[in-house]
Each structure stands twice: as C-alpha cells, then as structure tokens.
Amino acid sequence: MLREVKVEEGIVRGLPAADPRITAFKGIPFAKPPVGKLRFAPPQKAEKWNGVRECYTFSAVCPQPGALENPPDDDLYGKEWCVDTELPMSDDCLYLNVWTPARKNDEKLPVYFWIFGGGWQVGNASEMEFDGERIARRGIVVVTINYRVNLFGFTCHKDITKEYPENPANFGLQDQQAALKWVSRNIASFGGDPENITIGGQSAGAGSVIFHIGNPESRKYFKRAVVESGLFVNPFRQVFPTHTVEDAEKIGQEFFEFCGVKSLEEARNLPVETLQKKWSDWGGFFKSAETWAPIYDGNFMRGDIIERIEKDGLEVPPLLIGFTKDEFFDAPVQGSDEGKISTVELGLWKLIKAEEKRGVKSKNFVYKFDVPIPGWDNPGDFHSVDLWFFFETLAKCWRPFNGMHYDMARHICDYLCNFIKTGNPNDCGKTKGGIRYTPVKDEFKKREAAESEKLPEWKPFSSDNPECMFFETECRSGKLEASDDMKKYAQS
C-alpha cells in the first residue's frame, strides 16, 4: 500500500483507513497559509519542507460558527453535520485530504475531487459524511479540500483591488482552483490519473462546480462533473444576490468601518476572534450570504452559465446532476406559495434546453432523491441528506437507518463511482484497484453479476425524453414529469 508519497513540496506519510487496503492522507497543504499579508489575497503556492510530513489528522478549518453543545430541536443541520464542538479553526486552513486504494503510484486510477457546501459561509472537508473510504474501495482516489468561506473567502475592498487588480475577488473559488491544479500536478504520486479527474460538489459546492465549468482555466483540469443540488439558475434572487466587484468593494468598506478599521492593513492585523465576533454582530449566516458570496468579477466568474451556453457556446462536460424531493422550493413572490417550484430542478431543465438549442449532445444523467428518511424529527428529504448515501457513510449518522437504506446507499454510491470512472453510471469500466470490481475468483464474478442485475439502467436525460433515476426504496428508472409552473419558467 502507498503509505508514503512524494509530492512537489516534500514527502507525506499517511495512515491505513478503517479498511487497511486504503491509505488516508489528511491535512496536506496545497497553498501557503493565508495569514498576515496574505489575508484577503489570492492563494499562493505552498512552500517546500524537509523530511517526512505526517498527514495523520485533519487540518483546522476556515473560521466560522462552531457547533453547539446541545442544538435545539429545530436546528436540523446542527444535529446532522455540525457536531464537533472542539473543531479547530484558523485562517491557516488551505489543506486537502486524499484517500487512495493504490498499491503503486503508476496505477492511473480515476480521481474524485470534492468541494463541500454550506452557502459559502460554513462547512469543511473533514465533515464526517465526506469520509472518502467507501468510494476509494471502489478503485478511486478521493480528494476533499478546504477553502476560505464567508468574509475570509469573499471580502472585496478598493485596497485589495489596488493590490491585486487582476484577481481582486472570489478568493474562496480561487482556493478551489489552486487545489485543483495541485491535484493535477501531484495526484499521479497517489496512484491517480490526472487525465481522469471528476469534479463534484453539493449545494454551494455544486454551485462552485458550476462556476468552474464556466472558468476556462479550471476547465483544463477535469473531465466530467457531479452537481448535487446546485443552482444553475437563481430566478427569484431571494439569496445570493448578484454583486459586481464595485458593489462588493462598497460592502467591504462598510464592514471595515463596522470593525473599526480604516485600511486593509488594519483589517489584516485584526485577531481572527474579533472578525468572527464582528461577523456575528453583522447579522449572522443570512446577512453573510447576502454580503460574502461569489462575485461576478468578469474574470473568474464571467456571467450566467445558461446565457453563456446559449450565446457564447460554452461547452459543458458530461454531468451527473440531481436534487432531493423537499429542497429549495421558491416562488416569484416572497411569502407566497403561488407558482412555487424546485429551483434546482428548474436549473437542470434550463441547462438541458440551452444545450439542445446549441446542438450539444452531452450525456447528462439526472436523479431525484426520495428515500424515506427516519428520525423522530420527521425531516423529509431535506437539503443535503443525500450526502450520507453518495459517500455511503450512513453508519456515521445518528439516524436509525435500516437495511433498505444501506442497500440504497450502496447502489447510489455504485452509480456515482461508475460515472467517476467512465462518465456512464451503468459502466464501471476495467479500472484496477476497486475491491468489488477486481474479482479474483469465479464466485466473486458471480456475485458482481448478481449485484449489477439489481440496478436498472440509468439513461441520459433530454427534454424530449426526460429519463431520470428515482432513488426511493429502490432505484427506479422513469420520466421526470415537469409541472405546468415548471414548464412556464423553464421556457422563460
């Protein structure tokens, strides 16, 4: 097994995962610490080190609200994800994690590059649902990355623009791109194939994936994409308003004044704890989402992706894309239920129609997640619950999942891994290294065949033939029927 690996900065040492056939490397730096003069600045290449760096534990995460000791009953995400009350936080947070099943560094295994969600305000790569071991067991090198969120990742200010006129905004997205480039340069040492990288994310992570699809530089480094609950459109603009750099500079000036500082230098010298307190005083999560989120700077982000497909001929890679049954239902008029639709579903309809209008014939695979979720809180299929299933990490959750749920998680993860390997959720290819897909005896081949027979074919989606995989108590292939309101908004 690969327990030590040489990357461009030095040698890293990992540890066996729970499955000793997998090696986990945690806390590998992919950029310089964004502290001091590098706070509110683009990421810089990591520095070299001497000797062997022990990558045994996750790094600190970007400063954000911490977990509560006893979250209230209505704090769904506090109970579900944000559970570590001693999670270390620091603005020195630009690290990534790698799980690899490779025995040698020349195996050229497919790579899954994962971006966490959290509204670009919270979240981290070490959340328990993102454990990459189960995916790695299927013959894939898994990478999860940290990036700067909230004010640390998306502050703009006129002084920052003077200092970095070419890239004065979207430092959190720039962090992701820096990590993607690092992976492209170094993943072969972990047994991965830099020519077969799939980029994936959920929620704001999926939104980030969409932005990287539209970024010509990022687009050089991945072959296909997974977009879980990502907004290709934000039609009613109730959150994440569209800001220009000039808009964001004014907000940055207001925030600096709110913090009692007059210059970028003074803001960089403020203690992290002071900035965290000011973040909370400023208005918390939702005010933060209106303040610090991706900015249409004309450089990293160059406009609405649907418009760019229709007008500029932007080419979108093959996608695995979908949504949960109960998430992101919005209406044109706030407070009204009239015309309420799933904005995630709307985005995928508009994406497919835009591609078809341009004559593009990409193979995109659509799912709808509708697995009954147990628990005393009767949560429904809430935003993010599908993460437990795609990473097959149900055993880490407090919910009383049963055999059906574990079967569904195995099948959903199988589909995902096939797509990562080949771009087709029905085809695992001939990738070496996967535990299930490298049988050594005839009885294993029979078991593999029996397993594959349980999974229905997942057909590509088109507006004329909206084939969809429905994840329910079983995997069911069917048509995604659009409501009248959905059809109306999809045409507009």
mmCIF file with all atom_site columns, all heavy atoms in Angstrom, residues 172-184:
data_model
loop_
_atom_site.group_PDB
_atom_site.id
_atom_site.type_symbol
_atom_site.label_atom_id
_atom_site.label_alt_id
_atom_site.label_comp_id
_atom_site.label_asym_id
_atom_site.label_entity_id
_atom_site.label_seq_id
_atom_site.pdbx_PDB_ins_code
_atom_site.Cartn_x
_atom_site.Cartn_y
_atom_site.Cartn_z
_atom_site.occupancy
_atom_site.B_iso_or_equiv
_atom_site.pdbx_formal_charge
_atom_site.auth_seq_id
_atom_site.auth_comp_id
_atom_site.auth_asym_id
_atom_site.auth_atom_id
_atom_site.pdbx_PDB_model_num
ATOM 1   N N   . GLY A 1 172 ? -12.198 32.442 -2.207  1.00 0.00 ? 172 GLY A N   1
ATOM 2   C CA  . GLY A 1 172 ? -12.614 31.085 -1.900  1.00 0.00 ? 172 GLY A CA  1
ATOM 3   C C   . GLY A 1 172 ? -12.652 30.201 -3.134  1.00 0.00 ? 172 GLY A C   1
ATOM 4   O O   . GLY A 1 172 ? -12.214 29.040 -3.107  1.00 0.00 ? 172 GLY A O   1
ATOM 5   N N   . LEU A 1 173 ? -13.147 30.734 -4.245  1.00 0.00 ? 173 LEU A N   1
ATOM 6   C CA  . LEU A 1 173 ? -13.142 29.981 -5.506  1.00 0.00 ? 173 LEU A CA  1
ATOM 7   C C   . LEU A 1 173 ? -11.724 29.827 -6.038  1.00 0.00 ? 173 LEU A C   1
ATOM 8   O O   . LEU A 1 173 ? -11.374 28.786 -6.616  1.00 0.00 ? 173 LEU A O   1
ATOM 9   C CB  . LEU A 1 173 ? -14.017 30.684 -6.541  1.00 0.00 ? 173 LEU A CB  1
ATOM 10  C CG  . LEU A 1 173 ? -15.509 30.815 -6.220  1.00 0.00 ? 173 LEU A CG  1
ATOM 11  C CD1 . LEU A 1 173 ? -16.230 31.540 -7.345  1.00 0.00 ? 173 LEU A CD1 1
ATOM 12  C CD2 . LEU A 1 173 ? -16.147 29.458 -5.966  1.00 0.00 ? 173 LEU A CD2 1
ATOM 13  N N   . GLN A 1 174 ? -10.903 30.851 -5.853  1.00 0.00 ? 174 GLN A N   1
ATOM 14  C CA  . GLN A 1 174 ? -9.510  30.738 -6.270  1.00 0.00 ? 174 GLN A CA  1
ATOM 15  C C   . GLN A 1 174 ? -8.784  29.661 -5.470  1.00 0.00 ? 174 GLN A C   1
ATOM 16  O O   . GLN A 1 174 ? -7.921  28.957 -6.009  1.00 0.00 ? 174 GLN A O   1
ATOM 17  C CB  . GLN A 1 174 ? -8.800  32.083 -6.114  1.00 0.00 ? 174 GLN A CB  1
ATOM 18  C CG  . GLN A 1 174 ? -9.277  33.149 -7.096  1.00 0.00 ? 174 GLN A CG  1
ATOM 19  C CD  . GLN A 1 174 ? -8.420  34.397 -7.045  1.00 0.00 ? 174 GLN A CD  1
ATOM 20  O OE1 . GLN A 1 174 ? -7.189  34.323 -7.083  1.00 0.00 ? 174 GLN A OE1 1
ATOM 21  N NE2 . GLN A 1 174 ? -9.059  35.559 -6.958  1.00 0.00 ? 174 GLN A NE2 1
ATOM 22  N N   . ASP A 1 175 ? -9.129  29.520 -4.173  1.00 0.00 ? 175 ASP A N   1
ATOM 23  C CA  . ASP A 1 175 ? -8.569  28.429 -3.377  1.00 0.00 ? 175 ASP A CA  1
ATOM 24  C C   . ASP A 1 175 ? -8.904  27.083 -4.003  1.00 0.00 ? 175 ASP A C   1
ATOM 25  O O   . ASP A 1 175 ? -8.047  26.194 -4.114  1.00 0.00 ? 175 ASP A O   1
ATOM 26  C CB  . ASP A 1 175 ? -9.133  28.461 -1.953  1.00 0.00 ? 175 ASP A CB  1
ATOM 27  C CG  . ASP A 1 175 ? -8.717  29.672 -1.148  1.00 0.00 ? 175 ASP A CG  1
ATOM 28  O OD1 . ASP A 1 175 ? -7.725  30.334 -1.523  1.00 0.00 ? 175 ASP A OD1 1
ATOM 29  O OD2 . ASP A 1 175 ? -9.378  29.948 -0.130  1.00 0.00 ? 175 ASP A OD2 1
ATOM 30  N N   . GLN A 1 176 ? -10.158 26.908 -4.397  1.00 0.00 ? 176 GLN A N   1
ATOM 31  C CA  . GLN A 1 176 ? -10.577 25.645 -5.005  1.00 0.00 ? 176 GLN A CA  1
ATOM 32  C C   . GLN A 1 176 ? -9.780  25.366 -6.278  1.00 0.00 ? 176 GLN A C   1
ATOM 33  O O   . GLN A 1 176 ? -9.346  24.239 -6.516  1.00 0.00 ? 176 GLN A O   1
ATOM 34  C CB  . GLN A 1 176 ? -12.073 25.702 -5.321  1.00 0.00 ? 176 GLN A CB  1
ATOM 35  C CG  . GLN A 1 176 ? -12.970 25.860 -4.114  1.00 0.00 ? 176 GLN A CG  1
ATOM 36  C CD  . GLN A 1 176 ? -14.407 26.190 -4.498  1.00 0.00 ? 176 GLN A CD  1
ATOM 37  O OE1 . GLN A 1 176 ? -14.779 26.129 -5.674  1.00 0.00 ? 176 GLN A OE1 1
ATOM 38  N NE2 . GLN A 1 176 ? -15.231 26.535 -3.521  1.00 0.00 ? 176 GLN A NE2 1
ATOM 39  N N   . GLN A 1 177 ? -9.613  26.401 -7.084  1.00 0.00 ? 177 GLN A N   1
ATOM 40  C CA  . GLN A 1 177 ? -8.864  26.226 -8.324  1.00 0.00 ? 177 GLN A CA  1
ATOM 41  C C   . GLN A 1 177 ? -7.407  25.894 -8.042  1.00 0.00 ? 177 GLN A C   1
ATOM 42  O O   . GLN A 1 177 ? -6.811  25.043 -8.728  1.00 0.00 ? 177 GLN A O   1
ATOM 43  C CB  . GLN A 1 177 ? -8.951  27.487 -9.187  1.00 0.00 ? 177 GLN A CB  1
ATOM 44  C CG  . GLN A 1 177 ? -8.347  27.319 -10.571 1.00 0.00 ? 177 GLN A CG  1
ATOM 45  C CD  . GLN A 1 177 ? -8.367  28.615 -11.353 1.00 0.00 ? 177 GLN A CD  1
ATOM 46  O OE1 . GLN A 1 177 ? -7.546  29.497 -11.149 1.00 0.00 ? 177 GLN A OE1 1
ATOM 47  N NE2 . GLN A 1 177 ? -9.339  28.739 -12.267 1.00 0.00 ? 177 GLN A NE2 1
ATOM 48  N N   . ALA A 1 178 ? -6.818  26.528 -7.034  1.00 0.00 ? 178 ALA A N   1
ATOM 49  C CA  . ALA A 1 178 ? -5.434  26.225 -6.665  1.00 0.00 ? 178 ALA A CA  1
ATOM 50  C C   . ALA A 1 178 ? -5.301  24.768 -6.228  1.00 0.00 ? 178 ALA A C   1
ATOM 51  O O   . ALA A 1 178 ? -4.329  24.083 -6.571  1.00 0.00 ? 178 ALA A O   1
ATOM 52  C CB  . ALA A 1 178 ? -4.971  27.164 -5.552  1.00 0.00 ? 178 ALA A CB  1
ATOM 53  N N   . ALA A 1 179 ? -6.291  24.274 -5.462  1.00 0.00 ? 179 ALA A N   1
ATOM 54  C CA  . ALA A 1 179 ? -6.280  22.873 -5.042  1.00 0.00 ? 179 ALA A CA  1
ATOM 55  C C   . ALA A 1 179 ? -6.426  21.947 -6.240  1.00 0.00 ? 179 ALA A C   1
ATOM 56  O O   . ALA A 1 179 ? -5.763  20.903 -6.328  1.00 0.00 ? 179 ALA A O   1
ATOM 57  C CB  . ALA A 1 179 ? -7.390  22.627 -4.027  1.00 0.00 ? 179 ALA A CB  1
ATOM 58  N N   . LEU A 1 180 ? -7.290  22.318 -7.184  1.00 0.00 ? 180 LEU A N   1
ATOM 59  C CA  . LEU A 1 180 ? -7.485  21.508 -8.388  1.00 0.00 ? 180 LEU A CA  1
ATOM 60  C C   . LEU A 1 180 ? -6.189  21.408 -9.194  1.00 0.00 ? 180 LEU A C   1
ATOM 61  O O   . LEU A 1 180 ? -5.820  20.326 -9.674  1.00 0.00 ? 180 LEU A O   1
ATOM 62  C CB  . LEU A 1 180 ? -8.604  22.121 -9.232  1.00 0.00 ? 180 LEU A CB  1
ATOM 63  C CG  . LEU A 1 180 ? -9.023  21.388 -10.496 1.00 0.00 ? 180 LEU A CG  1
ATOM 64  C CD1 . LEU A 1 180 ? -9.518  19.981 -10.184 1.00 0.00 ? 180 LEU A CD1 1
ATOM 65  C CD2 . LEU A 1 180 ? -10.107 22.180 -11.236 1.00 0.00 ? 180 LEU A CD2 1
ATOM 66  N N   . LYS A 1 181 ? -5.492  22.514 -9.307  1.00 0.00 ? 181 LYS A N   1
ATOM 67  C CA  . LYS A 1 181 ? -4.217  22.500 -10.029 1.00 0.00 ? 181 LYS A CA  1
ATOM 68  C C   . LYS A 1 181 ? -3.181  21.657 -9.284  1.00 0.00 ? 181 LYS A C   1
ATOM 69  O O   . LYS A 1 181 ? -2.398  20.924 -9.904  1.00 0.00 ? 181 LYS A O   1
ATOM 70  C CB  . LYS A 1 181 ? -3.708  23.934 -10.219 1.00 0.00 ? 181 LYS A CB  1
ATOM 71  C CG  . LYS A 1 181 ? -4.519  24.754 -11.198 1.00 0.00 ? 181 LYS A CG  1
ATOM 72  C CD  . LYS A 1 181 ? -3.919  26.154 -11.349 1.00 0.00 ? 181 LYS A CD  1
ATOM 73  C CE  . LYS A 1 181 ? -4.657  26.966 -12.388 1.00 0.00 ? 181 LYS A CE  1
ATOM 74  N NZ  . LYS A 1 181 ? -4.069  28.324 -12.567 1.00 0.00 ? 181 LYS A NZ  1
ATOM 75  N N   . TRP A 1 182 ? -3.167  21.781 -7.953  1.00 0.00 ? 182 TRP A N   1
ATOM 76  C CA  . TRP A 1 182 ? -2.241  20.979 -7.156  1.00 0.00 ? 182 TRP A CA  1
ATOM 77  C C   . TRP A 1 182 ? -2.503  19.494 -7.381  1.00 0.00 ? 182 TRP A C   1
ATOM 78  O O   . TRP A 1 182 ? -1.581  18.695 -7.551  1.00 0.00 ? 182 TRP A O   1
ATOM 79  C CB  . TRP A 1 182 ? -2.385  21.330 -5.675  1.00 0.00 ? 182 TRP A CB  1
ATOM 80  C CG  . TRP A 1 182 ? -1.349  20.711 -4.785  1.00 0.00 ? 182 TRP A CG  1
ATOM 81  C CD1 . TRP A 1 182 ? -0.188  21.265 -4.345  1.00 0.00 ? 182 TRP A CD1 1
ATOM 82  C CD2 . TRP A 1 182 ? -1.380  19.376 -4.229  1.00 0.00 ? 182 TRP A CD2 1
ATOM 83  N NE1 . TRP A 1 182 ? 0.499   20.378 -3.550  1.00 0.00 ? 182 TRP A NE1 1
ATOM 84  C CE2 . TRP A 1 182 ? -0.207  19.208 -3.465  1.00 0.00 ? 182 TRP A CE2 1
ATOM 85  C CE3 . TRP A 1 182 ? -2.290  18.323 -4.301  1.00 0.00 ? 182 TRP A CE3 1
ATOM 86  C CZ2 . TRP A 1 182 ? 0.083   18.029 -2.783  1.00 0.00 ? 182 TRP A CZ2 1
ATOM 87  C CZ3 . TRP A 1 182 ? -1.991  17.134 -3.631  1.00 0.00 ? 182 TRP A CZ3 1
ATOM 88  C CH2 . TRP A 1 182 ? -0.827  17.001 -2.874  1.00 0.00 ? 182 TRP A CH2 1
ATOM 89  N N   . VAL A 1 183 ? -3.772  19.118 -7.372  1.00 0.00 ? 183 VAL A N   1
ATOM 90  C CA  . VAL A 1 183 ? -4.135  17.718 -7.594  1.00 0.00 ? 183 VAL A CA  1
ATOM 91  C C   . VAL A 1 183 ? -3.690  17.272 -8.982  1.00 0.00 ? 183 VAL A C   1
ATOM 92  O O   . VAL A 1 183 ? -3.139  16.172 -9.147  1.00 0.00 ? 183 VAL A O   1
ATOM 93  C CB  . VAL A 1 183 ? -5.653  17.527 -7.405  1.00 0.00 ? 183 VAL A CB  1
ATOM 94  C CG1 . VAL A 1 183 ? -6.104  16.160 -7.921  1.00 0.00 ? 183 VAL A CG1 1
ATOM 95  C CG2 . VAL A 1 183 ? -6.019  17.683 -5.933  1.00 0.00 ? 183 VAL A CG2 1
ATOM 96  N N   . SER A 1 184 ? -3.894  18.102 -9.984  1.00 0.00 ? 184 SER A N   1
ATOM 97  C CA  . SER A 1 184 ? -3.470  17.747 -11.335 1.00 0.00 ? 184 SER A CA  1
ATOM 98  C C   . SER A 1 184 ? -1.963  17.481 -11.384 1.00 0.00 ? 184 SER A C   1
ATOM 99  O O   . SER A 1 184 ? -1.504  16.552 -12.056 1.00 0.00 ? 184 SER A O   1
ATOM 100 C CB  . SER A 1 184 ? -3.847  18.863 -12.312 1.00 0.00 ? 184 SER A CB  1
ATOM 101 O OG  . SER A 1 184 ? -3.408  18.564 -13.615 1.00 0.00 ? 184 SER A OG  1
#
